[in-house]
Amino acid sequence: MKKQHKIWQNEWRQIMGKPVNVDVEVDCDFDLHFDIWDLDKTKFLELFKSFPKGIEIGNNAFNLRNALIEEFNQKLNKDQIISETLKAIEDIQSIAFTDELKNPNILFRTGKSISDITDLNYSERISIEIDDRMSAFIKKGTGENGYNAYHFLSEPMYRMSSSYIPSHWILWTLANSINVNPFSSMLKLESNNCNVFSIIDGGVLIFQTER
């Protein structure tokens, strides 16, 4: 993996006009993490030419970064948020079924910070099973090269908005044996300042941060 990552690191740095063969590990190379988002579209898409599904990944990342995907720009009301949550659960269950998400009771809360909630024991995001198995799904979908690409691209895609939901939505295309993207509804919810958690005692909590 490290050999391939070094090749991609040098390709990216060359495209960006940065020094190559630097003594910096890929996961600590902040030029790769942050400066790519300042490139114009032509240069940005050039970054992805060597990756499996590179054209699709590059276009999705660029369009998402620049708010060019209409479905992720829509403001949802409470009923629509609940409906989108149920869709997210359905998509997740179709790929990685868990009893915890079977016919869940949905709770909806709003506030300035989820830390203000003291009457509920909430745990992980509802996508935790897929989050934990992303690399396995991708390795099955696009093989060793896709697996390497995921581990190279994961951190730069995260840096786009400091969230793994858009990163996973972008990189799910590497799991091309599965047609459903389980992060689409999750991303719509995040775009509406909503996080969705499993409740330890059963059920699902939607928390919408007030802005």
Side-chain angles (χ1 to χ4, degrees):
M1 185 188 299
K2 286 190 174 182
K3 182 179 179 181
Q4 181 59 65
H5 282 188
K6 194 67 180 178
I7 292 170
W8 284 328
Q9 181 186 35
N10 281 334
E11 285 182 357
W12 277 31
R13 295 186 69 84
Q14 188 172 29
I15 290 167
M16 291 189 289
K18 307 281 187 180
V20 299
N21 295 318
V22 294
D23 188 22
V24 180
E25 292 294 327
V26 169
D27 57 1
C28 297
D29 190 342
F30 296 131
D31 289 340
L32 271 56
H33 297 174
F34 294 102
D35 290 4
I36 64 170
W37 303 108
D38 296 327
L39 297 174
D40 63 30
K41 186 173 184 179
T42 299
K43 284 286 187 182
F44 185 82
L45 294 181
E46 192 177 345
L47 297 174
F48 298 88
K49 63 184 180 182
S50 299
F51 293 91
K53 301 283 186 173
I55 294 174
E56 185 175 352
I57 291 171
N59 274 300
N60 283 343
F62 184 88
N63 291 337
L64 186 61
R65 166 71 170 181
N66 292 284
L68 300 176
I69 305 176
E70 185 58 32
E71 65 178 304
F72 300 127
N73 299 331
Q74 297 172 356
K75 296 304 177 185
L76 306 178
N77 60 35
K78 179 181 175 180
D79 288 341
Q80 291 170 324
I81 286 169
I82 292 172
S83 178
E84 203 63 55
T85 299
L86 292 172
K87 178 65 167 57
I89 292 169
E90 179 184 347
D91 290 344
I92 290 166
Q93 290 287 75
S94 72
I95 296 168
F97 181 86
T98 61
D99 285 333
E100 289 80 4
L101 294 179
K102 184 178 180 181
N103 300 319
N105 179 40
I106 304 292
L107 298 178
F108 183 91
R109 300 281 185 89
T110 63
K112 293 182 178 179
S113 172
I114 194 167
S115 62
D116 295 337
I117 294 180
T118 58
D119 61 321
L120 294 174
N121 293 316
Y122 57 90
S123 56
E124 304 97 345
R125 282 203 311 255
I126 58 172
S127 60
I128 186 65
E129 286 292 324
I130 296 178
D131 293 339
D132 288 347
R133 295 165 59 187
M134 274 285 290
S135 60
F137 286 125
I138 285 169
K139 192 169 188 177
K140 183 177 180 181
T142 47
E144 193 70 27
N145 204 29
Y147 178 84
N148 287 339
Y150 167 69
H151 285 284
F152 181 90
L153 293 170
S154 184
E155 195 64 20
M157 296 301 102
Y158 167 82
R159 298 290 185 174
M160 179 178 67
S161 59
S162 299
S163 171
Y164 281 112
I165 290 176
S167 174
H168 285 177
W169 177 80
I170 292 165
L171 297 179
W172 186 255
T173 188
L174 292 167
N176 70 337
S177 59
I178 302 174
N179 293 325
V180 173
N181 189 327
F183 298 99
S184 291
S185 289
M186 295 287 290
L187 188 50
K188 291 178 187 178
L189 292 166
E190 186 173 270
S191 298
N192 282 268
N193 306 319
C194 293
N195 288 291
V196 186
F197 302 92
S198 294
I199 301 173
I200 291 174
D201 297 329
V204 164
L205 167 65
I206 305 168
F207 184 82
Q208 186 174 38
T209 305
E210 296 174 346
R211 296 286 174 88

